[in-house]
Amino acid sequence: VLNVGFYNFVASTKILALVRSDSAPMRRIVQEARKSGTLIDATQGRKTKSVLFLEGGLTVTSALSQETLARRLGGREPQ
């Protein structure tokens, strides 16, 4: 499992993509996921820094940067 911040975890085998959230297309995708009910907001009210796309069409937002999450996925940083 991958800790996406604030004791929220995602099954690492289900992750399809891990991207930055600062572009307009990513913000639109997050808004569409929120409207459709497929968004999991793991930011705990903080600024969204990365977006994870999971199998099954779910989208997860995280307050951690994609570099931090990638290091955690690679096992080079404690979770």
Side-chain angles (χ1 to χ4, degrees), residues 50-77:
S50 60
V51 179
L52 295 90
F53 295 96
L54 307 180
E55 291 178 3
L58 292 174
T59 305
V60 179
T61 56
S62 174
L64 300 177
S65 71
Q66 75 279 7
E67 290 93 357
T68 299
L69 294 174
R71 281 195 302 271
R72 288 181 179 187
L73 263 176
R76 294 188 304 266
E77 183 174 306

Side-chain angles (χ1 to χ4, degrees), residues 1 4 7-8 12-13 31 40 47 49 53-54 71 75:
V1 293
V4 294
Y7 299 101
N8 296 298
S12 56
T13 57
Q31 285 303 98
I40 300 171
K47 183 178 187 280
K49 291 186 181 176
F53 295 96
L54 307 180
R71 281 195 302 271

Side-chain angles (χ1 to χ4, degrees), residues 7 18 26 30 35 37 43-44 46 50 55 62 71 73 75:
Y7 299 101
L18 171 59
M26 279 299 111
V30 169
K35 288 180 187 175
T43 63
Q44 300 294 321
R46 290 164 178 85
S50 60
E55 291 178 3
S62 174
R71 281 195 302 271
L73 263 176

